[in-house]
Amino acid sequence: MAATDEIAVAARARRFLAAHARLRPTEALPWLVAVAAFFVFPDRLTFGSQVLVMALFALSLDLVLGYAGILTLGHAAFFGIGAYTVGLLAARLDWTEPLTGLLAAATCAGFAGALSGVVLLRYRGLTLLVLTLSTTFILQEFGNVFDRVTGGYDGLPGLSFSPVLGVFDYDLFGRTAYLYALAVLFVCFCLARAIVVSPFGRSLVGIRENTARMHSIGAPVHGRLLVAYTVSAALAGVAGALHAHTNAFVTLSVFDFENSAGVLVMLILGGTGRLYGAFWGAVVYMVLQDSLAKFSPAFWQAGVGLLLIVTVLFARAGILGLVEAAGRRLRGGGP
Amino acid sequence: MKRASSMVLAVLGLGVWAGGAAGETIRVGVVLPYSGVNADLGSQMDKAFDLYVRKHAGDIAPHKIELVKRDEGPGATAKTVVTELITRDKVKLVTGFALSPSAIAAAPVVTQAKVPMLISNAGTAWITQLSPYIVRFSFSMWHQAHPMGSYSADKLGCKTTAIGYTDYPPGKDAAEAFRTGYEKAGGKVADVIPMGNPAQVPDFTPFLQRVKDAKPDCFYVFVPSGAHSAGLVKSYGEVGLRAAGVRLIGTTDVVPDNKLQDMGEAVVGAIVMGAYAADLDNPANKAFVADWTAAYGADAPPDFMSAAAWDAMAAIFHVIKTLDGKLDDGAKVVELLKGYSRKSPRGEISIDPMTRDVVQDERAMEIVRKADGKLGTKVLGVVEKVKDQCKELKVGRCGQAGN
């Protein structure tokens, strides 16, 4: 009797996980849009590659903030470490191959994530917010003090990277940069997706929803948070490395508060805890910022701020939350 | 919308062409911080660009100039901004650049696109070496800080000096440049004090107390113009450095023209070295300040950044006129600017054909209380035709082979 119960429970668990892991047709949409953008806006690809880089950065934040519920204002630390890893390798050691550079950046940022996570993840809420913020400032100041190595706020200029895969060189119109960023984003998305639909991913959601209960069923909460934080840091590092590759330049402003805060705003706009929220949030934020800044170079931030206020007041779950709610209503399944 | 307006332009163009005089509309990209903490700097240059275009639009007839303005403030990546200005907006030149990192990031783009970049502020010395298409009209910190080293030792009686600077590239450059010139002239550096970062104005009291304890003759300072300089001068008075006879010397950033009137008695007697002050007595400056005051009022005078932006725009007009509006060949434009000189509000300036950096007179200026009760500047001495000393002396990165 007990045995059949267990089998039934296990089967239900598998069904639950499988339902979450199932690919939905709507998931193709962002990628179709991204590929279409390449052909529709051939003269906007440099900007496009920046959007893709920020989408990846927002995705990394979504893993910790959206899924594991770790509130951080210091994710720029890992973005910056990634950027400086490839920047310093290229400028000081002549290591200019981009793909191995990405791996090196992921390793360094992931290592930094694990190291800082051991300490930081013992805290939550406001304390954690301030601690992550200070960590980023410390890194920035560190870079300023050792400016002979890092180039300080003037940065590492004129970085030149080898062509991607030894074939595709960076062009003025940003064609290579765009496709390269898109490919890396896609691979990272697949990885992030695999993580969040796995039992490990569900346990992160469990920790976010009710930490005490996860403790009481014997889940290794700290360990899991640490793994999530490390993976997220590594992905942020890849985003930072891409940023360096596509800009051929790194400066200490990658550690700016604006960078940490900007990516948070993107994620909130798109919708936290929903993989593709990172993608749409980055697209909407960046396009809005870009067009507002052209419309009014001095006051564009007011427009972005207004949108954020509206989102927080009326669409707490972000753009994707709105879309989901609309979908439910269309299917007639309640509000 | 865009298409419609370009059609209108095309029709207009056709009309002009049919009329016999072929006028080109030259688009110029302006990259300045319009938002964020540096918006103040952007505004000082933006006003100068607009004013020049307004006053001199007739000089380049039948051609027209159109400024395409973009923000280099927080969130913008200079490389993307400049790339799009060139590839989408088809600008023939880019100018502005308040912040060195933006100019540095955009350097490879202008090299690749062969579009000249006329810098009106960004002061990191080696920027001009990053691309053969960069021409600088502003300064490097070495222009003003290095000659001040020898001047203060020889003429101002500074036997010992403490150096204080805001801890980021211009501050570090100013400190190093001053020290190099000062020690060569036989001065003795009593202390070197980094004073916080540019993002927040620190409490200057502990730094100034340290200076007071060291009892130097002079205190050489670089802080960013604006809130930092106001805070520094205030603390300088309060800590009693002035009463203790420690003379405040520094770069013009310490006493920016548009903040000077708020600084009070503590600043009187301070001596700075720089290329420009609104009070300079020369015909070009008198006319410039008069135009400026008529346009923007007497309470917001132009400063060294405005003067540099004014000169950069004047150079752009010169190029348009000389090449009859045909600016497609960026290399030709840069060639034309090498050795270019003009009677600027800063006095006679020129572009060094070797380095494409500005050559200008540096003036030692004392802050005085004028007859009308306002604070102003009095020129004590002039160091003529100063080149960027970082490149002349081949210091650090400036010594590396550039373009």
Side-chain angles (χ1 to χ4, degrees), chain B residues 25 112 189 263 283 285 304 338 351 355 361 373 392-393:
Chain B
T25 297
Q112 202 171 8
V189 174
M263 287 188 162
N285 189 45
F304 60 95
K338 289 181 183 172
I351 297 297
T355 61
D361 296 347
E392 293 300 302
L393 302 171

PDB file of all heavy atoms in Angstrom, chain B residues 25 112 189 263 283 285 304 338 351 355 361 373 392-393:
ATOM      1  N   THR B  25      23.728  70.357 -46.537  1.00  0.00           N
ATOM      2  CA  THR B  25      23.441  70.385 -45.110  1.00  0.00           C
ATOM      3  C   THR B  25      24.405  69.422 -44.428  1.00  0.00           C
ATOM      4  O   THR B  25      24.369  68.225 -44.682  1.00  0.00           O
ATOM      5  CB  THR B  25      21.990  69.977 -44.823  1.00  0.00           C
ATOM      6  OG1 THR B  25      21.138  70.938 -45.436  1.00  0.00           O
ATOM      7  CG2 THR B  25      21.727  69.962 -43.323  1.00  0.00           C
ATOM      8  N   GLN B 112      37.888  53.521 -37.734  1.00  0.00           N
ATOM      9  CA  GLN B 112      37.343  52.590 -38.716  1.00  0.00           C
ATOM     10  C   GLN B 112      36.494  53.332 -39.748  1.00  0.00           C
ATOM     11  O   GLN B 112      36.551  53.032 -40.936  1.00  0.00           O
ATOM     12  CB  GLN B 112      36.496  51.543 -37.983  1.00  0.00           C
ATOM     13  CG  GLN B 112      36.307  50.259 -38.761  1.00  0.00           C
ATOM     14  CD  GLN B 112      35.651  49.167 -37.911  1.00  0.00           C
ATOM     15  OE1 GLN B 112      35.201  49.403 -36.787  1.00  0.00           O
ATOM     16  NE2 GLN B 112      35.589  47.970 -38.454  1.00  0.00           N
ATOM     17  N   VAL B 189      57.691  68.563  -2.223  1.00  0.00           N
ATOM     18  CA  VAL B 189      56.313  68.137  -1.998  1.00  0.00           C
ATOM     19  C   VAL B 189      56.166  67.645  -0.571  1.00  0.00           C
ATOM     20  O   VAL B 189      56.847  66.702  -0.146  1.00  0.00           O
ATOM     21  CB  VAL B 189      55.908  67.036  -2.998  1.00  0.00           C
ATOM     22  CG1 VAL B 189      54.520  66.493  -2.661  1.00  0.00           C
ATOM     23  CG2 VAL B 189      55.923  67.584  -4.417  1.00  0.00           C
ATOM     24  N   MET B 263      31.435  81.623  -3.790  1.00  0.00           N
ATOM     25  CA  MET B 263      32.501  81.035  -2.985  1.00  0.00           C
ATOM     26  C   MET B 263      32.919  81.889  -1.793  1.00  0.00           C
ATOM     27  O   MET B 263      33.520  81.387  -0.854  1.00  0.00           O
ATOM     28  CB  MET B 263      33.713  80.741  -3.865  1.00  0.00           C
ATOM     29  CG  MET B 263      33.440  79.547  -4.771  1.00  0.00           C
ATOM     30  SD  MET B 263      34.902  79.020  -5.640  1.00  0.00           S
ATOM     31  CE  MET B 263      34.406  77.371  -6.129  1.00  0.00           C
ATOM     32  N   PRO B 283      39.917  91.039 -27.245  1.00  0.00           N
ATOM     33  CA  PRO B 283      38.714  91.372 -28.028  1.00  0.00           C
ATOM     34  C   PRO B 283      37.817  90.164 -28.287  1.00  0.00           C
ATOM     35  O   PRO B 283      36.592  90.263 -28.176  1.00  0.00           O
ATOM     36  CB  PRO B 283      39.286  91.912 -29.348  1.00  0.00           C
ATOM     37  CG  PRO B 283      40.693  92.287 -29.058  1.00  0.00           C
ATOM     38  CD  PRO B 283      41.161  91.460 -27.909  1.00  0.00           C
ATOM     39  N   ASN B 285      37.413  87.508 -26.518  1.00  0.00           N
ATOM     40  CA  ASN B 285      36.685  87.116 -25.317  1.00  0.00           C
ATOM     41  C   ASN B 285      35.600  88.126 -24.960  1.00  0.00           C
ATOM     42  O   ASN B 285      34.507  87.751 -24.537  1.00  0.00           O
ATOM     43  CB  ASN B 285      37.640  86.925 -24.140  1.00  0.00           C
ATOM     44  CG  ASN B 285      36.932  86.316 -22.942  1.00  0.00           C
ATOM     45  OD1 ASN B 285      36.175  85.363 -23.097  1.00  0.00           O
ATOM     46  ND2 ASN B 285      37.151  86.881 -21.765  1.00  0.00           N
ATOM     47  N   PHE B 304      35.795  77.563 -18.968  1.00  0.00           N
ATOM     48  CA  PHE B 304      36.816  77.019 -19.878  1.00  0.00           C
ATOM     49  C   PHE B 304      36.251  75.980 -20.828  1.00  0.00           C
ATOM     50  O   PHE B 304      36.713  75.828 -21.949  1.00  0.00           O
ATOM     51  CB  PHE B 304      38.009  76.470 -19.088  1.00  0.00           C
ATOM     52  CG  PHE B 304      37.660  75.362 -18.127  1.00  0.00           C
ATOM     53  CD1 PHE B 304      37.787  74.041 -18.496  1.00  0.00           C
ATOM     54  CD2 PHE B 304      37.237  75.653 -16.835  1.00  0.00           C
ATOM     55  CE1 PHE B 304      37.485  73.015 -17.603  1.00  0.00           C
ATOM     56  CE2 PHE B 304      36.927  74.639 -15.938  1.00  0.00           C
ATOM     57  CZ  PHE B 304      37.046  73.319 -16.329  1.00  0.00           C
ATOM     58  N   LYS B 338      45.313  70.428 -38.884  1.00  0.00           N
ATOM     59  CA  LYS B 338      46.682  70.430 -38.370  1.00  0.00           C
ATOM     60  C   LYS B 338      47.295  71.796 -38.642  1.00  0.00           C
ATOM     61  O   LYS B 338      47.338  72.244 -39.785  1.00  0.00           O
ATOM     62  CB  LYS B 338      47.522  69.342 -39.045  1.00  0.00           C
ATOM     63  CG  LYS B 338      47.145  67.942 -38.609  1.00  0.00           C
ATOM     64  CD  LYS B 338      48.024  66.907 -39.306  1.00  0.00           C
ATOM     65  CE  LYS B 338      47.593  65.507 -38.917  1.00  0.00           C
ATOM     66  NZ  LYS B 338      48.286  64.472 -39.715  1.00  0.00           N
ATOM     67  N   ILE B 351      46.501  74.225 -33.385  1.00  0.00           N
ATOM     68  CA  ILE B 351      46.534  72.769 -33.258  1.00  0.00           C
ATOM     69  C   ILE B 351      47.921  72.302 -33.675  1.00  0.00           C
ATOM     70  O   ILE B 351      48.377  72.579 -34.786  1.00  0.00           O
ATOM     71  CB  ILE B 351      45.460  72.115 -34.154  1.00  0.00           C
ATOM     72  CG1 ILE B 351      44.047  72.552 -33.715  1.00  0.00           C
ATOM     73  CG2 ILE B 351      45.569  70.592 -34.129  1.00  0.00           C
ATOM     74  CD1 ILE B 351      43.649  72.138 -32.311  1.00  0.00           C
ATOM     75  N   THR B 355      50.804  66.354 -32.927  1.00  0.00           N
ATOM     76  CA  THR B 355      50.008  65.582 -31.967  1.00  0.00           C
ATOM     77  C   THR B 355      48.501  65.775 -32.132  1.00  0.00           C
ATOM     78  O   THR B 355      47.714  65.094 -31.504  1.00  0.00           O
ATOM     79  CB  THR B 355      50.359  65.996 -30.530  1.00  0.00           C
ATOM     80  OG1 THR B 355      50.059  67.394 -30.379  1.00  0.00           O
ATOM     81  CG2 THR B 355      51.829  65.776 -30.220  1.00  0.00           C
ATOM     82  N   ASP B 361      48.123  79.452 -24.524  1.00  0.00           N
ATOM     83  CA  ASP B 361      48.784  80.139 -23.411  1.00  0.00           C
ATOM     84  C   ASP B 361      48.146  79.717 -22.097  1.00  0.00           C
ATOM     85  O   ASP B 361      46.922  79.624 -22.004  1.00  0.00           O
ATOM     86  CB  ASP B 361      48.644  81.659 -23.563  1.00  0.00           C
ATOM     87  CG  ASP B 361      49.346  82.165 -24.812  1.00  0.00           C
ATOM     88  OD1 ASP B 361      50.128  81.385 -25.408  1.00  0.00           O
ATOM     89  OD2 ASP B 361      49.102  83.325 -25.202  1.00  0.00           O
ATOM     90  N   GLY B 373      32.606  94.848  -6.428  1.00  0.00           N
ATOM     91  CA  GLY B 373      32.274  93.974  -5.309  1.00  0.00           C
ATOM     92  C   GLY B 373      32.166  92.508  -5.676  1.00  0.00           C
ATOM     93  O   GLY B 373      32.079  91.638  -4.823  1.00  0.00           O
ATOM     94  N   GLU B 392      55.036  65.793 -24.729  1.00  0.00           N
ATOM     95  CA  GLU B 392      56.364  66.377 -24.943  1.00  0.00           C
ATOM     96  C   GLU B 392      57.416  65.632 -24.129  1.00  0.00           C
ATOM     97  O   GLU B 392      58.522  65.373 -24.601  1.00  0.00           O
ATOM     98  CB  GLU B 392      56.363  67.862 -24.550  1.00  0.00           C
ATOM     99  CG  GLU B 392      55.523  68.753 -25.443  1.00  0.00           C
ATOM    100  CD  GLU B 392      55.990  68.733 -26.892  1.00  0.00           C
ATOM    101  OE1 GLU B 392      57.156  69.067 -27.136  1.00  0.00           O
ATOM    102  OE2 GLU B 392      55.185  68.370 -27.781  1.00  0.00           O
ATOM    103  N   LEU B 393      57.067  65.304 -22.876  1.00  0.00           N
ATOM    104  CA  LEU B 393      58.025  64.644 -21.979  1.00  0.00           C
ATOM    105  C   LEU B 393      57.934  63.129 -22.060  1.00  0.00           C
ATOM    106  O   LEU B 393      58.659  62.414 -21.374  1.00  0.00           O
ATOM    107  CB  LEU B 393      57.773  65.096 -20.536  1.00  0.00           C
ATOM    108  CG  LEU B 393      57.855  66.601 -20.277  1.00  0.00           C
ATOM    109  CD1 LEU B 393      57.371  66.931 -18.882  1.00  0.00           C
ATOM    110  CD2 LEU B 393      59.280  67.089 -20.472  1.00  0.00           C
TER     111      LEU B 393
END
